[in-house]
Amino acid sequence: MNCESCGNRMTAVYRQSHFHCWSCNRFHFPTEIEAAEDSLRRTGKVAEFPCPRCKIALEVGQLRDQADVCFCPNCRGFVIDCDTLGSWISELRAAYTGPDDQPLALDPQELDVRRDCPACQEPLEAHPYYGPGNSVIDTCTHCRLAWFDHGELAWIVRAPGLRRQSTLG
């Protein structure tokens, strides 16, 4: 697949259904943002923070109609508050009724990615999410924010493992 912006070849993103152009940093997704795995609903508001990956302004939206987040309209990554992250993931995992994904190996290159926190501009810490899903997330210990690349949350939600009863309705 070739990039619509610059014409160069796009590469498939590991474990994902979308493509990335390394020449101009554009992404191609097979679905609209509202119908994607992470289901981001746009509010039309622009956030004051830059995307740690694309360096463009983040937008304010709702993730799965449950949590307010700032997300990138280009790469579809999003930032969420760490203090509510664990309970929120537990609720999403409990509400998920589809098949579990087969665990895939962590991509060690993801641990070497360096990004800055959109709020304080300090370096984010890349580390494995210490729960199901074999995903790497980026966190800021100063601001208590977590950055998820597109699809990482879906891997965590669909990962095999214990699921408690859902309170989502």
Side-chain angles (χ1 to χ4, degrees), residues 6 8 17 22-24 30 36 74 79 87 109-110 117 138-139 160 167:
C6 70
N8 286 324
S17 61
W22 293 96
S23 298
C24 68
N74 182 46
V79 65
S87 61
Q109 291 179 338
E110 288 186 59
C117 174
D138 304 286
T139 56
T167 59

Side-chain angles (χ1 to χ4, degrees), residues 10-83:
M10 299 186 91
T11 56
V13 177
Y14 180 68
R15 300 193 314 177
Q16 302 292 334
S17 61
H18 62 278
F19 296 84
H20 180 234
C21 176
W22 293 96
S23 298
C24 68
N25 200 30
R26 297 282 184 196
F27 293 81
H28 172 77
F29 295 90
T31 60
E32 294 298 318
I33 197 164
E34 295 83 6
E37 293 176 300
D38 292 335
S39 186
L40 288 160
R41 185 171 53 83
R42 292 180 130 144
T43 63
K45 298 176 187 171
V46 176
E48 59 190 80
F49 308 115
C51 173
R53 185 174 194 168
C54 302
K55 308 299 183 211
I56 64 172
L58 295 175
E59 292 183 20
V60 177
Q62 276 205 322
L63 184 63
R64 297 187 178 201
D65 291 326
Q66 299 291 321
D68 293 327
V69 297
C70 292
F71 72 94
C72 178
N74 182 46
C75 70
R76 296 187 184 178
F78 64 91
V79 65
I80 189 166
D81 183 289
C82 285
D83 293 331

